[in-house]
Structures are given as C-alpha cells and as structure tokens.
Amino acid sequence: MTELVHEAIGRQLTDLGVRTVFGVVGSGNFHFTDAMVRGGARFVAARHEGGAATMADAYARMSDEVAVLSLHQGCGYTNALTGITEAAKSRTPLLVLTAEATDPTSNFALDQAAIAVGIGAVALRVRSARTALDDVARAFAICRHQRRTVVLNVPIDVQDAVLDAQAPAREYRKVAEPRPDDDEIAAFARLLERAERPVFVVGRGGRSPGSRDAVRELAAEAGALLATSAVSRGMFNGDDWNIDVSGGFSSPLTAELVSGADLLVGFGCALNMWTMRHGRLIAPDATVVQVDIEPGAIGVHRDVDLGLWGGVAGTARATAAWLRANSPGGRTGYRTPDVAERIRSGLRWNQVPFEDASGDGRVDPRGLSAALNDILPTERIVSVDSGNFLGYPSMYLDVPDEYGFCFTQAFQSVGLGLATAIGAALAQPDRLPVAGCGDGGFLMGLSELETVVRLGLPMLIVVYNDAMYGAEVHHFGAGTSGLDTVTFPDTDIAALARGHGCDALTIRRPEDTHAVKEWLSAGPVRPLVLDAKIASDGGSWWLQEAFGH
C-alpha cells in the first residue's frame, strides 16, 4: 500500500510514544497533524502559535514526555519563536514539527533552520522520502535522550512524496551518562568529610529518574541541607532538612542558611544570578562544587573549586558509597537541633510576618496569596507568568512536589503564564490547575482564555492587577520620566473573563477570596478568573534580581 511521507511521519511519531500534540493547523501542517491524530495522539488546538509552543513546553516539563508542536511554515513558525526559545533555553524535550517552504519565491520562505540554531534549538530536516523515517527517529531520540528542543523542518514537496518503504528508521538508543572517575569522586567525598555546613542545591538537571533519592541519600551521609532552584521547587517536600528555593525567591531563613554554607554543591544547577542572587548567597570562603551532565555548563556563571562531569544520580550514589566505605558513621554537618527547629518554625514565606498593605479598594498580594493557599486543595499545579508579582504565587502558594510547579522563566518573557498553565494542567489532570499572572501578561496571552474554556479546564486564574508593568515602574522609581509608557487605565478583567465564558470575581480585600471556596465546593467545570486589584508594596522582594540582565 502506498504511503505518503506526511502520513508516515504521523504514524511513526505515535508509534514512538507521542501522546499529545499542540499547535495551530494551516495548509502546510494539516496532513501530518491529521496523521498523528489518526495514530491516537490528542491534538490541542491553541488560538495562537505562541500559546501552542508554551503549552507544549509546559506539558513536556510536567509529564516527562516528548511533546510535539505542529506548525505551518513561515509565519506559523515565527509566531511560535518566543515559546520555542523558552523551551530551548530550558532543555525541554520538545519536538517542533514545522512545514517548510521550498520555493524561494513563496511568501512563507525563510531560513527556518538558521533561526532554530540562533535560539539554541537543534535544527534538523526531513531530507527525502528515502530518509524520512530515519530523520524523524533521530529527531525524536535527541528530544528524549538528550532533553533538547529540536526543530524538524518538513519541506512541502518532501511531505507529499511517496515513502520509500525500503528505508526503515534506525533504532537510536540512549547513551549511558558519564560518571566522574574514582579520583574525582574521592576528592568530592573528602570535601564533604571536612564540611561543617554543606548545602546541596538541585536544579533542572536533578529531575532525572533516581536523582532525588540519590541526592537525599548523599545529603544524609554528609549532613547537608537540601535546597532547589525555582524550577525544581517541591522536590524535597517532606524531608526534614528541606530548605526550599535558593535564590531570589528565598525566604530570609533560607537565604541565611545558604549563605552560611562552607560547602555549596550544585547538582544539575547553573548557580546563576537567580539561584545565587548574583553570587551574594555564596560566602567568600565557601568551597563550590558543580555536578553537571553538560561539561560546558560547569563554571559558566562562576568559578568552581571542583567541577564534576556526570549525571546527578550516578555521581551522588558513587560519592555516598565512598563515604560509607571510607568514612563510616555519617556526619552531623548542618543538621543540628537548632537548625532543625528554625526550619520547622520559620522557613516558609507564609511564616514571615508582614504589615498588610490592603486598603482603598486594593488587596495586599501577600495576604491574597496566603489566603488562597489555605483555601485551595493540596493537590494543585501552580504555573506563573513573569512580572513584578511573580514571587507571590511562586512562594506563598505551596506545591506538592516538583510536578506541582511549572516555571517557564528561562527567557524571562512576559505573557506565557496562561498558556503555561494549560499545558501543565493537561500533563497533570488530577490536580487543580492554578495560574498566576500579572495584568500585562494576562492581556498579552488573552487569546488562550478561550482555549481554557473550550477544553473544560477547572482552572483558577489569579490576575495580580496593578494596571502597570510593575517591574519597570518599581525598578526605575517614582518621578522618572517615561513611566506613562508602562502604566495604564484600570481594566475590568473580570468582565473580559465572563465574556470568554469564565466565572469571574473582582478581589479588593483578602476576605473576598471566600467566594473561591464556593466555586471549589460546587465541583467547578469552568475556569474562575480573579481580577485582584493589588496594592503596591514598593516592588516585590525578588525584583532586584530581575534586572541583573
């Protein structure tokens, strides 16, 4: 039976395990999208390619699956670039399947491969009917095994060709992760032996299978406290020595404990300006170790005393084994009764007192977030946009584990929050989806509110509405010329939400959140949008980190 290349592409991807495809369908990607649907994949139609890209990114992060983004050639591809860039910077296993114009006179013609390389993605092409299956298999394997974002261009003339059935795909097997040699493991272990206050910070690279347990095992041997970067928040929930997020979001106690470390170890963590507050969380005399599967990532943001090229799980297990064999008995390290009591009584932002700034029809964003935290079920998945408000939902809303917090901030783009929440919700359907957005980002991504309604997602969307781009206003300060370019008349976001088919409330006081209880108790079938008119606290505590550029 004759099979066209576009049919074979769809069939092969579903055979490889693709379950969910996001996109906006045009003439160039119509057929291979339909082939994936006929192969059993779910297609999620977004209202804009930018939203589709971010949904796919979030879905892949929260499901540990390779997600597919299906795009029309030319403008469909360029519309999606911000979301694809975020995914590429985050090493999301995302396969961007995009049609490609081959006629140089076409309105859609452009160098899509060069653009992909420029934003940090892997650029590949379905080269011919003879190589089609192998090209697809290779692209999928790079996504799955190397955790990279791949742009696979499918030329229009090739996808309509007859498949060469004599050219089956290769089987691309995963290569074993590197592991530091015995001397390097011993050097790391000896640093842990001598450390009195070790802290481990686990980033995105520590979310691989087995890594959490391996790092906890080593931390117990070394007497280390456990922290994460923002993208891995929740990983060590339930551990008595978890000190939550290191960096701009750190509570005062977390910042004190991290900066008090005499040995700081980054596992799959960049130790960048966000996670280390431009280096201020690293004591001048602290020893710094970085473990990463990418050798080029070691020492990029700061000099390290020891760099270990290896997978997180394998490196941690080998080091724990060395300590048990050569230095048995374990170490107290940072795990003292005094530190334990301080962690129990004052670690979380919800435990830090503040003077409520609510009044004059505006609600304090801290009080609002804390009130919602008490109302919402434990099983939730929180997704956030970028902006001045960002720290409030990120740190005042608890999450159950690292699959309960979706943080698309590698490109620091405003406007991705709502689409992020859609992708995360589809990846974790048994959890209540919560989206935290500023008014600016919410209005940028407004087209996807219809997608939330159409999909029937019972999502809580909290819009922290200060009628301005608050990060710029607070950063440059009152009286600065030009602030009228980043301030706006108040928008009735609740009315906009109702027009899209959502339930909606305007929040002006913390007690107004009681209506959320009614929405939850009724078994929500529609999204609820909270238009929270927030008071200013002079700029959120993490804001200074945002302008490190």
Side-chain angles (χ1 to χ4, degrees):
M1 180 178 176
T2 299
E3 185 177 32
L4 301 183
V5 168
H6 58 70
E7 296 169 335
I9 289 172
R11 171 181 55 78
Q12 186 183 24
L13 285 173
T14 53
D15 287 348
L16 287 168
V18 170
R19 296 196 308 140
T20 309
V21 181
F22 298 82
V24 175
V25 171
S27 58
N29 64 328
F30 181 91
H31 291 300
F32 57 68
T33 302
D34 177 60
M36 286 184 281
V37 173
R38 285 187 283 112
R42 177 184 186 179
F43 178 68
V44 179
R47 286 301 189 176
H48 189 276
E49 288 90 350
T54 302
M55 292 175 204
D57 178 15
Y59 180 90
R61 296 179 195 224
M62 296 291 104
S63 66
D64 284 337
E65 298 176 17
V66 175
V68 171
L69 171 63
S70 176
L71 300 173
H72 181 72
Q73 66 272 24
C75 53
Y77 175 62
T78 57
N79 275 349
L81 285 179
T82 297
I84 298 172
T85 303
E86 167 67 34
K89 285 179 173 287
S90 299
R91 294 186 69 93
T92 299
L94 173 63
L95 178 59
V96 181
L97 192 64
T98 178
E100 182 181 38
T102 52
D103 182 351
T105 66
S106 168
N107 288 348
F108 299 122
L110 74 161
D111 194 341
Q112 296 183 177
I115 293 172
V117 172
I119 63 174
V122 177
L124 298 175
R125 178 172 285 111
V126 175
R127 295 165 291 167
S128 67
R130 182 178 60 82
T131 66
L133 293 181
D134 187 59
D135 294 332
V136 172
R138 181 184 177 211
F140 184 85
I142 292 172
C143 291
R144 181 166 61 183
H145 301 325
Q146 299 180 31
R147 295 192 65 82
R148 296 292 304 275
T149 294
V150 177
V151 174
L152 181 61
N153 292 285
V154 188
I156 295 293
D157 53 350
V158 173
Q159 64 173 284
D160 291 333
V162 176
L163 182 73
D164 184 345
Q166 303 303 311
R170 279 177 51 194
E171 181 180 357
Y172 288 85
R173 297 180 180 178
K174 186 174 183 178
V175 176
E177 291 184 347
R179 205 213 78 175
D181 64 30
D182 291 344
D183 289 343
E184 292 173 317
I185 292 294
F188 181 26
R190 291 190 184 102
L191 291 175
L192 291 170
E193 275 187 308
R194 295 193 297 267
E196 297 179 357
R197 297 179 307 282
V199 170
F200 294 173
V201 184
V202 183
R204 180 181 292 108
R207 293 181 54 161
S208 55
S211 294
R212 174 176 52 186
D213 291 342
V215 171
R216 286 185 66 186
E217 176 189 349
L218 178 59
E221 287 288 337
L225 302 182
L226 292 162
T228 69
S229 65
V231 293
S232 295
R233 186 185 179 213
M235 178 179 288
F236 298 114
N237 282 359
D239 192 294
D240 292 340
W241 303 104
N242 169 37
I243 59 171
D244 206 19
V245 174
S246 173
F249 292 159
S250 293
S251 69
L253 178 57
T254 299
E256 177 189 333
L257 292 171
V258 174
S259 62
D262 61 353
L263 174 63
L264 187 73
V265 184
F267 284 98
C269 176
L271 301 178
N272 60 20
M273 70 173 191
W274 294 95
T275 310
M276 292 292 116
R277 291 189 175 178
H278 298 277
R280 294 192 301 274
L281 290 185
I282 303 175
D285 58 349
T287 299
V288 179
V289 177
Q290 189 176 358
V291 180
D292 206 289
I293 198 170
E294 291 294 329
I298 297 173
V300 168
H301 295 280
R302 62 156 294 121
D303 292 336
V304 297
D305 297 284
L306 178 64
L308 299 173
W309 178 32
V312 169
T315 302
R317 288 196 190 100
T319 309
W322 192 100
L323 287 171
R324 286 192 296 269
N326 297 278
S327 183
R331 279 140 292 277
T332 299
Y334 225 157
R335 299 187 172 197
T336 65
D338 174 64
V339 170
E341 177 56 30
R342 296 186 69 197
I343 290 173
R344 283 193 295 271
S345 61
L347 180 75
R348 299 162 56 245
W349 273 108
N350 283 325
Q351 296 171 301
V352 178
F354 63 89
E355 184 176 344
D356 196 301
S358 299
D360 296 326
R362 292 196 167 271
V363 63
D364 190 303
R366 297 163 294 186
L368 165 67
S369 304
L372 290 172
N373 189 60
D374 292 338
I375 292 171
L376 299 177
T378 301
E379 286 300 308
R380 63 185 76 157
I381 182 162
V382 178
S383 304
V384 293
D385 207 330
S386 191
N388 176 62
F389 77 95
L390 174 58
Y392 306 121
S394 295
M395 298 310 298
Y396 282 88
L397 297 182
D398 295 329
V399 296
D401 53 34
E402 68 269 35
Y403 293 98
F405 185 55
C406 195
F407 191 71
T408 48
Q409 295 292 322
F411 200 28
Q412 210 175 326
S413 174
V414 174
L416 307 186
L418 187 56
T420 295
I422 296 171
L426 296 175
Q428 296 287 338
D430 296 329
R431 297 182 176 187
L432 177 74
V434 181
C437 303
D439 53 302
F442 178 77
L443 292 170
M444 282 186 189
L446 185 63
S447 61
E448 301 308 341
L449 191 58
E450 186 276 337
T451 305
V452 182
V453 174
R454 174 166 33 91
L455 294 175
L457 297 175
M459 181 184 294
L460 178 65
I461 303 166
V462 187
V463 182
Y464 293 77
N465 186 357
D466 59 3
M468 59 186 175
Y469 293 134
E472 283 67 29
V473 169
H474 294 304
H475 174 69
F476 292 106
T480 301
S481 174
L483 289 185
D484 57 333
T485 63
V486 289
T487 55
F488 303 91
D490 185 60
T491 300
D492 190 346
I493 285 173
L496 289 174
R498 292 187 192 100
H500 280 77
C502 301
D503 294 325
L505 295 169
T506 299
I507 305 293
R508 297 186 180 277
R509 305 169 301 165
E511 51 266 35
D512 292 342
T513 59
H514 293 321
V516 178
K517 291 183 179 179
E518 301 174 11
W519 176 74
L520 288 169
S521 63
V525 294
R526 297 198 302 174
L528 172 62
V529 176
L530 303 185
D531 182 3
K533 311 296 187 181
I534 62 169
S536 171
D537 65 349
S540 63
W541 75 93
W542 69 275
L543 183 62
Q544 58 183 320
E545 315 300 330
F547 286 86
H549 301 303

